[in-house]
Amino acid sequence: METTSSITAGHAVLETVIGFMGIAWSEKGLIRLCLPERSREAVERRLMRHAGVSASTAQPSWVVELIASIKAYAAGEDVDFTGFPVDLDGIDDFRLAIYDAARKLSYGETTTYGELAKRAGHAGLPRETGAALGANPVPLVIPCHRILAAGGKIGGFSAPGGSVTKEKMLAMEGVRVGQPPPAQVSFGF
């Protein structure tokens, strides 16, 4: 029988160089990740809206490592999140397949919704893939920001800041999407 001193579910709000982020975990793994917001309170409110988020702030060692990795990522470091446990209980098989395929993308690697659907064994379902990624409970760890629309366009993003946030995250990874900067549009002669 577990005692209160061994509670493993909890949540944390962390301050990074790109803003306040939040995570929540169960005894099985990460259940929620909130991308940057301007205030600690906004992240706390967003986290606590979700069922299953524990009020505990006691951090198991893997959570301490995850927080350090998120802060390193936010500071511009190449971080691999694939070793961290994720608890996706209650998520349907289609979304699990999409998330598994997305999780295989490494830092700075992108693909399209259509290609990701194919890699997940669901060729021809790019819109459904986009919808699944829009419901991703743990962005960054399941790197939905690395999935682009056809033709290399940015596509949608359901996190705060929308596609601007997605573009910033990709830029942090060295990926440029969309039009080149104005200085590169023409040679001026």
Side-chain angles (χ1 to χ4, degrees):
M1 178 148 186
E2 281 194 26
T3 64
T4 53
S5 63
S6 64
I7 292 174
T8 57
H11 80 282
V13 176
L14 43 146
E15 188 171 5
T16 73
V17 296
I18 58 174
F20 290 94
M21 296 174 71
I23 59 171
W25 58 91
S26 71
E27 60 284 344
K28 296 178 188 175
L30 187 67
I31 59 171
R32 186 78 45 201
L33 189 147
C34 296
L35 291 174
E37 296 249 20
R38 287 196 176 100
S39 76
R40 178 177 298 280
E41 296 74 26
V43 173
E44 184 84 23
R45 275 193 308 275
R46 250 183 44 218
L47 271 179
M48 299 314 284
R49 272 199 310 250
H50 298 285
V53 173
S54 169
S56 171
T57 55
Q59 298 174 357
S61 60
W62 71 268
V63 170
V64 173
E65 290 175 39
L66 175 61
I67 288 170
S69 294
I70 291 169
K71 287 182 176 186
Y73 176 88
E77 293 181 35
D78 177 344
V79 176
D80 178 1
F81 291 102
T82 57
F84 292 102
V86 176
D87 178 356
L88 298 173
D89 279 359
I91 292 182
D92 64 79
D93 290 343
F94 175 77
R95 283 174 50 199
L96 289 174
I98 296 300
Y99 295 165
D100 183 58
R103 206 157 182 210
K104 290 179 170 91
L105 293 171
S106 58
Y107 186 92
E109 179 186 1
T110 61
T111 191
T112 63
Y113 294 105
E115 178 59 30
L116 187 70
K118 192 185 306 178
R119 291 180 191 181
H122 295 283
L125 298 175
R127 287 175 198 245
E128 294 82 351
T129 297
L133 293 168
N136 176 8
V138 290
L140 185 58
V141 173
I142 296 175
C144 52
H145 65 283
R146 296 180 183 147
I147 319 304
L148 304 174
K153 294 187 177 85
I154 194 77
F157 201 55
S158 58
S163 57
V164 171
T165 297
K166 181 177 185 174
E167 197 166 7
K168 285 179 182 176
M169 291 174 74
L170 288 169
M172 287 171 54
E173 296 183 23
V175 177
R176 299 283 176 243
V177 180
Q179 298 298 315
Q184 296 178 358
V185 173
S186 68
F187 294 102
F189 52 76

